[in-house]
Amino acid sequence: MKYKISVNNLDLLRLLLALSVVFLHLKHLSQSDLSKTLGDFFYHISANAVPSFFIISGFLIYMSYERSSSLRSYLGNRFLRLYPAYVLLILGCTIFLGLVSELALADYYSFATIKYFLYNSLFLNFMSPSLPGVFENHNLTIVNGALWSLKIEVMFYLTVPLLFRVLESKYSLIYMLIIYILSFYYINIIEFISIENSKYLSLTHQLPAQMSYFIAGIFCYKYYSLMVKWKMFIIPISLLGLFFEVVYLQPLLLALLLVIVFIDFRYIISLKKVGDLSYGVYIYHFPLIQLFIYFGVGFTSMAEVLLLFLSVLFISFLSWKFVEKPSLALKRYIRT
């Protein structure tokens, strides 16, 4: 394939999606009337934000692997984009949130704290989501509930080399269709099991349930030129399908719409001067909301909400400038 897709609006899309997730989590964490109103207003965007990220990953990560000079180069690039800022966040929360713990520092720095760092640094956030004595009086004691999707991203990264071998064949379309259908079949099985025991229902948000979105993104990459050719038909059909909530087509329709609008359409705005802030917004906003609440911010006014968003954007900018961008510069050392 190797399409020339150097100028697009994907940075803007990812930033908008990440910001929409902030509204969703603000609603659940603060429970103020204003945050509920804002959360409900942006619900349809924020509820589809993570699936949209998976679609974008399918498109871009498959393209990244296809253009990589080696498996080492591909994995190294993925590591440098995801992990440095992530592990810094986990380490920072582990060390400094002891200052807001209900426990004395001597009690806070315990095995439970070490366990939090180790599990979370390995993307196993569900194994240790909270820190000792931290945010105990909040609606949720979770330090960072936004990180659950990153382990799925990592698993996507690891499956791409295998998928590439299968999908670069004359039966590519058939294989993608099989994967897409099996993803929904898995969800149906889990939902059936959950009738007797609802604790399994959370598995519908994990792999392989989310594979339908990832494979839809790959489909859009492999058939991008065909999509562009028929975009005037695809756009209205996708909008109608999404409006009428055609469940089994939703991942594909959402993927078609996002890729056409944000890649093929005219370049809207450049974010190169400020950098790619979307990842920072996504991983930093949750603990920031928790800290705001801890210090008595009730999010009852737009001024408080605006202060939160400015703080999230500022920290994300610092992360991009001093952590993420310098880390990406190390790519030249892993090229072969």
Side-chain angles (χ1 to χ4, degrees), residues 98-124:
L99 300 175
V100 300
S101 173
E102 300 294 324
L103 303 178
L105 287 179
D107 296 322
Y108 170 79
Y109 293 111
S110 61
F111 175 74
T113 305
I114 296 172
K115 185 173 73 171
Y116 172 86
F117 175 76
L118 292 176
Y119 276 129
N120 282 268
S121 63
L122 295 173
F123 300 102
L124 300 175

Side-chain angles (χ1 to χ4, degrees), residues 20-21 24 39 42-52 213 250 254:
S20 74
V21 174
L24 180 67
F42 290 102
Y43 174 77
H44 289 293
I45 300 175
S46 57
N48 287 295
V50 172
S52 297
Y213 294 100
Q250 195 258 355
L254 182 60

Side-chain angles (χ1 to χ4, degrees), residues 243-263:
F243 178 79
F244 288 107
E245 298 182 346
V246 183
V247 176
Y248 294 109
L249 292 179
Q250 195 258 355
L252 177 60
L253 297 177
L254 182 60
L256 292 170
L257 192 63
L258 289 177
V259 169
I260 290 175
V261 171
F262 286 92
I263 294 183

Side-chain angles (χ1 to χ4, degrees), residues 18 33 41 67 81 93 108 140 158 175 248 261 328 331:
D33 290 339
F41 182 80
R67 297 180 178 183
R81 182 64 190 100
C93 287
Y108 170 79
L140 291 173
L158 296 176
Y175 291 136
Y248 294 109
V261 171
L328 289 173
K331 285 182 179 181

Side-chain angles (χ1 to χ4, degrees), residues 57-312:
S57 290
F59 189 99
L60 294 180
I61 301 307
Y62 196 88
M63 179 173 66
S64 173
Y65 181 77
E66 184 182 63
R67 297 180 178 183
S68 295
S69 57
S70 66
L71 180 61
R72 174 190 172 190
S73 174
Y74 163 75
L75 293 175
N77 291 345
R78 294 300 94 217
F79 175 86
L80 291 174
R81 182 64 190 100
L82 192 72
Y83 203 68
Y86 176 83
V87 76
L88 181 65
L89 167 67
I90 300 303
L91 182 61
C93 287
T94 303
I95 295 174
F96 296 111
L97 288 183
L99 300 175
V100 300
S101 173
E102 300 294 324
L103 303 178
L105 287 179
D107 296 322
Y108 170 79
Y109 293 111
S110 61
F111 175 74
T113 305
I114 296 172
K115 185 173 73 171
Y116 172 86
F117 175 76
L118 292 176
Y119 276 129
N120 282 268
S121 63
L122 295 173
F123 300 102
L124 300 175
N125 319 93
F126 63 96
M127 298 291 290
S128 184
S130 304
L131 281 164
V134 175
F135 307 140
E136 283 191 343
N137 299 318
H138 292 199
N139 292 321
L140 291 173
T141 61
I142 297 172
V143 174
N144 200 335
L147 302 183
W148 68 271
S149 66
L150 296 187
K151 67 178 178 298
I152 299 178
E153 287 282 351
V154 172
M155 294 171 77
F156 283 152
Y157 295 168
L158 296 176
T159 59
V160 163
L162 298 175
L163 285 173
F164 189 84
R165 289 178 175 271
V166 174
L167 300 184
E168 293 304 304
S169 71
K170 62 179 180 179
Y171 301 112
S172 175
L173 191 59
I174 296 174
Y175 291 136
M176 283 190 284
L177 181 60
I178 291 172
I179 294 170
Y180 187 90
I181 292 173
L182 287 177
S183 177
F184 278 103
Y185 187 66
Y186 171 83
I187 292 174
N188 291 336
I189 292 174
I190 296 300
E191 288 177 342
F192 178 77
I193 295 173
S194 299
I195 295 174
E196 297 294 330
N197 193 336
S198 60
K199 72 177 183 179
Y200 294 109
L201 198 59
S202 63
L203 293 176
T204 59
H205 299 292
Q206 306 298 325
L207 277 182
Q210 301 298 317
M211 183 57 81
S212 58
Y213 294 100
F214 192 70
I215 209 70
I218 295 175
F219 171 86
C220 290
Y221 173 67
K222 289 181 69 63
Y223 295 95
Y224 178 71
S225 58
L226 193 62
M227 286 171 51
V228 172
K229 180 180 178 181
W230 295 99
K231 63 184 175 184
M232 291 300 104
F233 295 97
I234 291 174
I235 291 174
I237 291 172
S238 298
L239 288 172
L240 282 172
L242 292 171
F243 178 79
F244 288 107
E245 298 182 346
V246 183
V247 176
Y248 294 109
L249 292 179
Q250 195 258 355
L252 177 60
L253 297 177
L254 182 60
L256 292 170
L257 192 63
L258 289 177
V259 169
I260 290 175
V261 171
F262 286 92
I263 294 183
D264 184 62
F265 277 22
R266 183 182 295 275
Y267 198 35
I268 299 173
I269 185 173
S270 174
L271 298 177
K272 288 185 178 179
K273 289 186 178 180
V274 294
D276 185 0
L277 307 186
S278 59
Y279 183 52
V281 169
Y282 188 79
I283 66 173
Y284 296 123
H285 77 271
F286 200 100
L288 276 175
I289 295 173
Q290 292 281 55
L291 283 172
F292 269 64
I293 294 171
Y294 176 84
F295 288 110
V297 178
F299 297 108
T300 56
S301 69
M302 284 302 298
E304 292 175 333
V305 173
L306 180 61
L307 179 62
L308 169 68
F309 274 82
L310 290 175
S311 300
V312 171

Side-chain angles (χ1 to χ4, degrees), residues 317-327:
F317 172 75
L318 294 179
S319 176
W320 170 255
K321 185 174 180 61
F322 297 108
V323 182
E324 297 165 59
K325 188 177 180 181
S327 297

